[in-house]
Amino acid sequence: MGRLAQTDGLTEIQRDILATVRDFVDKEIIPVATELEHKDEYPTAIVEGMKQLGLFGLTIPEEYGGLGESLLTYALVVEEIARGWMSVSGIVNTHFIVAHMINAHGTQEQKDHFLPRMAAGEIRGAFSMSEPGLGSDVSAISTKGVKDGDFYVLNGQKMWLTNGGTSTLVAVLCKTDEGGSTPYKNMTTFLIEKEAGFGPNPKVPGLTVPGKIEKMGYKGVDTTELVLQDVRVPADRVLGGVPGRGFYQMMDGVEVGRVNVAARGCGVARRAFELGISYAQQRSTFGKKIAEHQAIQFKLAEMATKVEAAHQMMVMAARKKDGGERNDLEAGMAKYLASEYCKEVVEDAFRIHGGYGFSKEYEIERLYREAPMLLIGEGTAEIQKMIVGRRLLEEYRIAE
């Protein structure tokens, strides 16, 4: 293990967890990742291994059967997993966001009902906010929930659900129009239990997961739509028990998710650097290894600096959140920096590989197709810059 992306101040437990995950990634993920990715095959054996390691309950409190670890521990675990195969980190990411939302905002009954089974990996979560015409404008949400006695009736179409087919619990954001003074106070999060699979859901009449969306990269993990036609959800499955809080609950989840995406960018960039510096010491041109050419050394130096900078920014954002501080500034910076640097490091590693980087026999080809997803996941670079810019103006506002 090289000196890049080290984290100071970790406990012995955190170091043991990371060592276990790193060993799992090296032995169980990296050797099969490219083959599974090319087949677009769900990594069932890898997921079972993660369940046995307790990773689905990593941040769930011990009272509910989890490990009760911090966001920092989780982010560092995600970094290691993404280093092996980014799609696998996506399988745990949405699960973690939903578990975090239930733990932070759910009623006691909801916590008791969901969290123990989520910790064991028996229930796996998906997160549903986006819609086909929504983009980054959450206020334009059109999926609607209408109160009907002790139920809500949901109608609409959601988009870009990671784990939409394989999940058995979906947190769905809907417009409820129950008297809020702004659009953001008229949104509610519903917890919908369903069966895994595609097509009409036998457990939830009116709920359909049409099928997997074909993607350029980020394969293996299923990305889907979600169609709701007169889906009846009990009122006690409103997250927190009170309607109108959904936007703020979702934004809390997204804020945590941005740290996660930053961690994924760090992991993919680190793997690209490892592949690039290894290949540079094997490939010869003009009578010497290409690593001895100054142009390649400059490129490796730039790549390593970006890997290190992104990692430290991600760690800072996670520690802010763990400390109970507002971290939207740091999370936005971390997500923006890590995703942009990831793209650049992957491209440089691709260039180092030359023509072989274009071959599916080489791992860098897969990373080259995976990196672009990080540029848009959990908010584009432009959204992150808006968040950061507004927060900076708050912090540095001059007296009038």
Side-chain angles (χ1 to χ4, degrees):
M1 182 179 175
R3 66 183 293 170
L4 290 182
Q6 299 298 300
T7 309
D8 293 332
L10 297 181
T11 66
E12 184 176 351
I13 291 175
Q14 287 174 313
R15 290 195 296 270
D16 287 345
I17 289 172
L18 291 175
T20 299
V21 173
R22 192 177 301 119
D23 184 64
F24 178 78
V25 168
D26 288 340
K27 292 179 179 177
E28 306 296 335
I29 297 182
I30 289 177
V32 299
T34 295
E35 179 184 357
L36 292 175
E37 197 272 349
H38 287 166
K39 293 179 180 179
D40 198 6
E41 182 177 326
Y42 188 80
T44 302
I46 293 172
V47 170
E48 288 302 313
M50 291 195 300
K51 284 170 64 175
Q52 292 175 18
L53 291 177
L55 295 186
F56 286 99
L58 187 63
T59 61
I60 293 174
E62 293 180 9
E63 63 190 283
Y64 300 109
L67 298 178
E69 277 294 326
S70 63
L71 175 60
L72 175 61
T73 306
Y74 179 76
L76 295 174
V77 165
V78 165
E79 182 180 24
E80 291 294 340
I81 293 173
R83 174 181 157 267
W85 183 13
M86 192 181 75
S87 293
V88 178
S89 67
I91 292 171
V92 293
N93 178 40
T94 56
H95 176 86
F96 166 67
I97 290 176
V98 175
H100 169 80
M101 289 169 60
I102 292 172
N103 187 52
H105 305 288
T107 64
Q108 191 60 53
E109 185 275 333
Q110 290 167 353
K111 295 177 186 180
D112 292 340
H113 180 75
F114 290 113
L115 292 181
R117 289 185 291 160
M118 294 185 80
E122 296 170 7
I123 290 180
R124 296 214 293 276
F127 174 84
S128 180
M129 182 169 63
S130 187
E131 296 181 1
L134 194 61
S136 299
D137 182 12
V138 183
S139 66
I141 191 170
S142 62
T143 299
K144 195 162 186 177
V146 177
K147 188 78 181 293
D148 181 21
D150 293 333
F151 288 82
Y152 281 84
V153 180
L154 276 48
N155 283 281
Q157 183 180 4
K158 309 299 284 187
M159 193 70 176
W160 305 118
L161 278 76
T162 301
N163 300 313
T166 50
S167 62
T168 51
L169 172 65
V170 186
V172 183
L173 184 66
C174 297
K175 185 178 181 182
T176 45
D177 290 341
E178 292 189 287
S181 56
T182 70
Y184 301 106
K185 294 181 179 179
N186 281 299
M187 300 183 201
T188 300
T189 303
F190 294 91
L191 301 173
I192 302 178
E193 290 187 80
K194 68 179 187 66
E195 288 188 11
F198 299 98
N201 199 273
K203 188 172 183 177
V204 186
L207 186 146
T208 303
V209 179
K212 292 198 300 185
I213 297 170
E214 296 295 326
K215 299 164 293 187
M216 174 177 72
Y218 198 40
K219 294 177 181 290
V221 60
D222 46 296
T223 305
T224 75
E225 300 174 70
L226 183 73
V227 178
L228 304 113
Q229 295 179 314
D230 294 329
V231 173
R232 295 178 66 81
V233 179
D236 64 6
R237 287 297 172 258
V238 168
L239 179 61
V242 179
R245 298 177 179 174
F247 174 78
Y248 306 99
Q249 295 164 345
M250 285 274 174
M251 289 304 103
D252 183 33
V254 168
E255 192 172 281
V256 169
R258 286 184 179 128
V259 175
N260 174 281
V261 173
R264 285 199 251 180
C266 292
V268 174
R270 181 146 59 96
R271 183 59 180 166
F273 172 79
E274 291 171 355
L275 294 171
I277 198 168
S278 174
Y279 185 80
Q281 295 172 79
Q282 299 172 47
R283 172 72 167 167
S284 296
T285 62
F286 304 102
K288 58 183 178 181
K289 302 296 185 184
I290 64 172
E292 297 175 30
H293 293 289
Q294 189 179 65
I296 298 299
Q297 290 179 8
F298 283 2
K299 199 176 292 292
L300 292 171
E302 292 168 0
M303 294 162 67
T305 302
K306 290 172 181 177
V307 167
E308 185 68 17
H311 173 83
Q312 299 303 336
M313 178 68 79
M314 178 270 292
V315 168
M316 181 180 68
R319 281 183 162 148
K320 281 272 186 183
K321 187 76 171 178
D322 283 333
E325 298 180 63
R326 181 177 178 180
N327 85 327
D328 52 345
L329 175 68
E330 290 79 11
M333 285 180 169
K335 193 276 171 182
Y336 167 61
L337 191 77
S339 59
E340 294 292 336
Y341 276 179
C342 176
K343 176 200 69 171
E344 294 169 11
V345 171
V346 167
E347 183 171 335
D348 281 343
F350 176 84
R351 289 171 183 267
I352 288 172
H353 280 74
Y356 288 105
F358 209 63
S359 167
K360 287 191 174 183
E361 293 181 23
Y362 283 75
E363 190 178 340
I364 192 64
E365 179 271 342
R366 168 170 62 82
L367 271 59
Y368 194 77
R369 288 183 291 102
E370 289 178 340
M373 196 285 290
L374 297 171
L375 299 172
I376 54 176
E378 309 294 3
T380 63
E382 290 72 24
I383 289 295
Q384 307 311 319
K385 286 188 275 190
M386 284 174 57
I387 293 168
V388 170
R390 288 170 181 170
R391 286 287 288 116
L392 290 173
L393 286 171
E394 289 179 23
E395 293 285 338
Y396 289 89
R397 188 170 303 281
I398 61 174
E400 297 181 359

